[in-house]
Amino acid sequence: MNPDHPPEPAGLVPIGKDPSPEPPLESLEWEDPSQYLVRRGLALAELLEQPQEDSQPDLSPSVAAFVPWQCFHTWSEHTKQVQAIALSGNRQWLASGSYDRTVQLWQVQTGRHHLTLTAHTDYVTTVAFSPDSQLLVTGSWDRTLKLWRPESGELLDTLPVYSNRVIAVAVSPQGQILACGLVGGQY
């Protein structure tokens, strides 16, 4: 026992340490700090919800790692590593992008698979919703951004990115501007 590192409380696992035999944790992303935490790993995406209690827990950085979360949906439609996930602003959709070159869409409340989007020709590395949740933007190593309508899966547009592979995308708060990050630190 190391006196510099006290033992972890029983039943609580710090973020980043995964005690289960599941695939390794790739990332955690806050979607609404008081409600949802999205986890992605190899071929899965999970939406975690903080149990409701009478009092709000302390979410300061030193305590946040020990807040208990429970999984209420696990999605596993992808055949390869999940690289990107996003929860729509209206909390209706969860989108994930994968090395299997697909984007999967799920209905959050029911947990049901909604659509598989298959227009990318290389790894899908990033997904983002517009603030009004009416647009899904996906980016890929195929050097394109694709704009989709989540409700129908309609591909609205393909925007070529000539300089390098796409690894990140963001939609401005007003929904008017797209920003993308590229391999090699370009944007």
Side-chain angles (χ1 to χ4, degrees):
M1 178 179 256
N2 185 340
D4 294 330
H5 298 326
E8 295 169 4
L12 300 178
V13 178
I15 290 176
K17 292 187 179 180
D18 190 353
S20 67
E22 297 174 6
L25 176 68
E26 289 289 320
S27 80
L28 290 171
E29 299 172 30
W30 290 107
E31 289 298 339
D32 177 340
S34 65
Q35 189 173 9
Y36 294 110
L37 184 65
V38 179
R39 170 189 167 194
R40 69 178 169 81
L42 296 175
L44 66 86
E46 290 182 328
L47 190 62
L48 307 174
E49 181 177 42
Q50 187 174 12
Q52 298 298 316
E53 295 182 17
D54 293 338
S55 62
Q56 283 290 78
D58 177 5
L59 292 180
S60 63
S62 62
V63 176
F66 298 104
V67 174
W69 294 83
Q70 64 187 20
C71 178
F72 67 95
H73 289 299
T74 298
W75 295 278
S76 56
E77 300 292 322
H78 289 292
T79 59
K80 294 188 178 177
Q81 179 173 323
V82 175
Q83 186 59 31
I85 54 177
L87 184 64
S88 65
N90 64 7
R91 306 296 189 249
Q92 184 176 356
W93 309 110
L94 180 84
S96 60
S98 170
Y99 282 1
D100 66 10
R101 302 176 182 184
T102 69
V103 175
Q104 303 290 342
L105 278 170
W106 290 274
Q107 295 174 329
V108 172
Q109 293 302 317
T110 65
R112 292 188 184 151
H113 184 256
H114 179 61
L115 292 169
T116 300
L117 309 176
T118 60
H120 283 291
T121 60
D122 207 337
Y123 300 153
V124 178
T125 54
T126 185
V127 295
F129 286 95
S130 62
D132 66 3
S133 304
Q134 298 300 306
L135 182 70
L136 173 65
V137 182
T138 61
S140 170
W141 278 26
D142 66 9
R143 298 175 190 226
T144 65
L145 295 175
K146 295 192 182 290
L147 310 178
W148 309 85
R149 191 160 317 283
E151 186 74 36
S152 65
E154 175 187 3
L155 178 60
L156 301 172
D157 204 354
T158 298
L159 307 173
V161 178
Y162 297 106
S163 55
N164 218 327
R165 296 173 173 167
V166 178
I167 58 171
V169 68
V171 182
S172 70
Q174 297 77 24
Q176 301 296 316
I177 301 171
L178 292 178
C180 67
L182 307 175
V183 169
Q186 300 170 315
Y187 52 94

